[in-house]
Amino acid sequence: MSDSSDQEEVPPHLARYREYKRKQELRKKKKSAQSAPAQESPHASPDNPSSTLDNIINHPLTTPLLKLALWVFLLLFFAHHEFGSVFFLVSIPVFVWQSMEEYKRGPRELSAYSVFNKNLEKLDGTFTSEQWERELKYGAAAVRKQD
């Protein structure tokens, strides 16, 4: 009988709350244990070359700078072999293509060109040929009343 008295019946919502609090306390203890050694982080010391290399590699300008350096090197190489202008002219469409690939629109973000949008949806404030025709026939005031 002492077993049943030690384990009191707890409503399910209270049991979930106690479990939540217990896990929260464990997380706090874990964070405090991790934060103490974090003060002596290897990234803080200037003697650690791997942390400096990681910072350089993860820097947002690293990839564009490497691409630029490669392009300049290839331009000089082809210019030395008298194909610099050909390389330059071929690289222009490549740069245009690359710049278009980097930016991806979100699912609800509209393109400035309505032909690329679903159902040819236009941006607000787009000047259309229909609007221009109405302005010519009825004046600018007639268009403002409709829009």
Side-chain angles (χ1 to χ4, degrees):
M1 292 199 167
S2 64
D3 288 336
S4 64
S5 65
D6 288 343
Q7 296 178 354
E8 58 189 64
E9 290 190 31
V10 179
H13 68 280
L14 188 57
R16 285 192 301 264
Y17 176 75
R18 286 182 179 169
E19 183 67 20
Y20 167 77
K21 286 304 235 181
R22 187 183 65 79
K23 287 181 181 179
Q24 199 174 31
E25 288 176 16
L26 287 174
R27 280 191 212 113
K28 284 182 183 178
K29 287 179 184 177
K30 197 176 195 180
K31 280 185 181 180
S32 65
Q34 289 175 350
S35 66
Q39 293 171 353
E40 299 173 15
S41 171
H43 298 290
S45 72
D47 300 330
N48 189 353
S50 67
S51 66
T52 306
L53 184 60
D54 288 342
N55 290 340
I56 292 171
I57 290 173
N58 295 329
H59 195 277
L61 291 177
T62 300
T63 304
L65 287 175
L66 287 175
K67 286 180 182 179
L68 180 66
L70 176 66
W71 183 81
V72 168
F73 172 76
L74 288 174
L75 180 65
L76 293 174
F77 175 79
F78 282 108
H80 178 72
H81 294 288
E82 298 181 4
F83 282 99
S85 59
V86 174
F87 175 77
F88 183 77
L89 290 175
V90 169
S91 67
I92 290 173
V94 172
F95 278 131
V96 170
W97 177 69
Q98 280 288 327
S99 67
M100 294 175 84
E101 284 290 316
E102 288 179 12
Y103 179 73
K104 300 289 185 200
R105 280 187 285 139
R108 293 292 304 145
E109 191 174 354
L110 296 176
S111 171
Y113 303 101
S114 60
V115 294
F116 297 119
N117 297 331
K118 290 183 181 176
N119 301 325
L120 301 176
E121 190 176 348
K122 296 179 178 78
L123 291 175
D124 291 336
T126 302
F127 185 72
T128 62
S129 60
E130 293 86 13
Q131 179 185 354
W132 185 56
E133 189 176 323
R134 279 182 285 172
E135 285 183 9
L136 288 176
K137 287 182 180 179
Y138 308 110
V143 176
R144 287 191 195 120
K145 290 178 186 173
Q146 287 181 343
D147 293 337

